[in-house]
Amino acid sequence: MINLSPWVIFFASIFTGNILLTYFLGMCSFLSVSRQINTALGLGLAVTFVLTLTAALNHVIYFRLLEPMGLEYLRYIVFIVVIAATVQFIEMVVERYSEALYINLGIFLPLITVNCAILGVSLFMVIRRYTFIQSVFFGAGSGLGWLLAILAMAGIREKLKEERIPSALRGPGIALIITGIMAMAFVGFSGIVQIQ
Amino acid sequence: MSPGKELIKGFYTENPVFRLMLGLCPVLATSTSVNNGIGMGAATLFVLVCSNVVISLIRKAIPAKIRIPIFIMIIATFVTIVDLVMAGFFPELHESLGIFISLIVVNCIILGRAEAYASKNNVFYAFIDGLGMGLGFTLSMILISSIREILGNGTWLGLEVFGSGYNPVLLMILSPGAFFTIGLLMSFLSWFEGRRSSCVTNF
């Protein structure tokens, strides 16, 4: 893992190993917040930001603190506390300094704590033993991959509103099937670069 | 509120996967084989029952403002137990479920039940609710993983279903297959419900 270029990890986590379409992380908010492009974009940006930051923080905490002290088994509790604290902190900063950003982004921040993509990225980073730089690129790439997926989904769903869909398929049914088709398209990327 | 009803509601009327649509990530990711499905279901069931009971026991002592972090800490403790026990006794299953055992921490069903039920009801009902929801989740996992394993691998729990001439639909084991299976099952359920309610109104 050590000699893998950060850029390879970055692009691999957007396309071949998309956090949502390949690893199924962050499904709940993906399905519930993908009705409009604007809100999808807001949530996607917030997720990207939090992911990059928590990947960096958790990397330092795990490899500098937990592992030397032999406390690896505490990682779930520590990671989730770090994520919750980061989200809370960002919310406070954004609220204090930028009213406009808070209105657009603020409502999504509490949702992010329980978005499993965030914890998932931190855990993948530990399992694959990325270096600090690799972790930051992995976090940013995964966030952008998630943003790309939810943005595409929101675009499709906005168009779908005007289409005639069989009533049984409406709602989650059609959303999941479209996600499946998107995942098929992303399967086409696999083989270009491989991480794991 | 009868205990029987509280137990049964997780199976169909409030099924966590198909009705409440909570905790879809592990359902999509670990339903590649029935073996994995049962393992994931059992792990979730255990964490759900334990966290419901503990949260219900201390519900009066938890300050409302910091309840969510407390819930997550309690859940994370039980997930750590499951993770270590599974790694010790079922190393193969632990290997194939991988990261998704740890991700039970942020599974919305468990936090959802803690917030919506366990923090408002007594220990007995919290236990029943956790058991019912956990069993409902496990049954959904078995249903979805059966469909995917039979079509995608031609086997059920490792037993050959179609004989050696069967050419498996590999797509069903890959990620798109998970989305298609659950999407179609949800559509089928809503079609079924639509028919049932229209029958009721006709009478």
Side-chain angles (χ1 to χ4, degrees):
Chain A
M1 264 318 136
I2 303 297
N3 42 29
L4 208 57
S5 152
W7 287 107
V8 171
I9 293 178
F10 181 73
F11 285 108
S13 56
I14 296 178
F15 296 111
T16 57
N18 189 293
I19 196 88
L20 184 93
L21 298 169
T22 324
Y23 295 111
F24 311 103
L25 299 178
M27 278 308 296
C28 302
S29 32
F30 174 78
L31 286 178
S32 52
V33 195
S34 60
R35 287 203 178 80
Q36 282 179 330
I37 291 183
N38 285 341
T39 45
L41 185 66
L43 182 68
L45 287 175
V47 165
T48 311
F49 185 62
V50 174
L51 256 179
T52 317
L53 204 64
T54 53
L57 277 174
N58 282 338
H59 186 276
V60 173
I61 289 174
Y62 186 79
F63 287 104
R64 293 294 143 110
L65 209 68
L66 292 184
E67 207 172 55
M69 292 163 81
L71 295 173
E72 290 96 338
Y73 64 91
L74 279 180
R75 64 180 180 275
Y76 306 149
I77 298 180
V78 172
F79 284 177
I80 199 79
V81 169
V82 168
I83 292 166
T86 313
V87 169
Q88 194 74 51
F89 180 72
I90 294 171
E91 196 180 345
M92 274 148 57
V93 170
V94 169
E95 191 180 10
R96 173 77 180 74
Y97 290 104
S98 167
E99 188 83 10
L101 193 64
Y102 182 70
I103 292 165
N104 286 322
L105 243 162
I107 41 167
F108 302 121
L109 285 170
L111 264 179
I112 291 176
T113 313
V114 285
N115 186 332
C116 43
I118 315 281
L119 186 64
V121 162
S122 288
L123 292 170
F124 272 134
M125 165 194 90
V126 166
I127 293 169
R128 296 177 187 163
R129 303 198 69 79
Y130 285 148
T131 63
F132 182 74
I133 301 291
Q134 284 173 333
S135 304
V136 174
F137 275 71
F138 179 56
S142 300
L144 285 175
W146 200 86
L147 172 67
L148 188 71
I150 195 171
L151 212 53
M153 189 67 203
I156 295 171
R157 281 180 98 166
E158 279 203 350
K159 289 268 176 238
L160 271 185
K161 267 192 295 198
E162 290 142 30
E163 299 294 325
R164 288 174 53 200
I165 308 162
S167 62
L169 277 171
R170 261 179 222 152
I174 194 79
L176 279 163
I177 292 167
I178 290 168
T179 318
I181 297 170
M182 269 162 63
M184 267 169 88
F186 273 72
V187 168
F189 285 118
S190 64
I192 301 173
V193 266
Q194 279 296 338
I195 47 171
Q196 187 74 46
Chain B
M1 193 157 78
S2 77
K5 249 187 192 159
E6 294 296 296
L7 184 70
I8 290 296
K9 70 173 192 248
F11 289 34
Y12 185 77
T13 50
E14 285 183 40
N15 185 291
V17 177
F18 294 112
R19 284 307 166 83
L20 308 180
M21 289 195 35
L22 292 176
L24 278 180
C25 318
V27 177
L28 289 158
T30 59
S31 57
T32 46
S33 72
V34 180
N35 210 354
N36 284 356
I38 295 173
M40 191 66 209
T44 309
L45 174 71
F46 172 79
V47 176
L48 195 51
V49 170
C50 293
S51 68
N52 256 12
V53 166
V54 170
I55 287 164
S56 173
L57 273 174
I58 60 168
R59 68 185 188 279
K60 297 208 174 90
I62 302 177
K65 270 195 172 167
I66 53 160
R67 65 184 192 285
I68 301 285
I70 292 178
F71 293 165
I72 293 181
M73 297 280 275
I74 293 169
I75 296 166
T77 311
F78 286 112
V79 172
T80 309
I81 296 173
V82 169
D83 190 45
L84 293 175
V85 168
M86 210 176 242
F89 293 99
F90 308 98
E92 271 175 30
L93 187 63
H94 186 257
E95 184 79 12
S96 65
L97 292 177
I99 193 173
F100 285 94
I101 287 292
S102 11
L103 283 175
I104 299 177
V105 177
V106 282
N107 191 327
C108 358
I109 306 175
I110 299 175
L111 194 64
R113 290 331 284 175
E115 168 78 5
Y117 200 94
S119 60
K120 298 190 182 91
N121 290 283
N122 66 26
V123 181
F124 176 67
Y125 278 107
F127 172 78
I128 294 284
D129 178 74
L131 194 67
M133 284 287 160
L135 286 174
F137 179 80
T138 311
L139 287 177
S140 319
M141 280 300 290
I142 293 174
L143 174 67
I144 294 162
S145 57
S146 299
I147 295 174
R148 288 184 71 193
E149 193 185 333
I150 290 172
L151 292 177
N153 204 22
T155 57
W156 192 80
L157 258 178
L159 305 167
E160 293 249 345
V161 174
F162 295 122
S164 54
Y166 178 68
N167 204 354
V169 191
L170 191 62
L171 187 76
M172 295 304 284
I173 295 278
L174 297 175
S175 57
F179 291 113
F180 291 143
T181 311
I182 298 175
L184 289 174
L185 278 174
M186 274 180 185
S187 311
F188 175 75
L189 264 185
S190 91
W191 170 79
F192 180 72
E193 279 297 301
R195 266 183 71 113
R196 204 168 71 159
S197 60
S198 69
C199 284
V200 171
T201 46
N202 284 345
F203 279 107

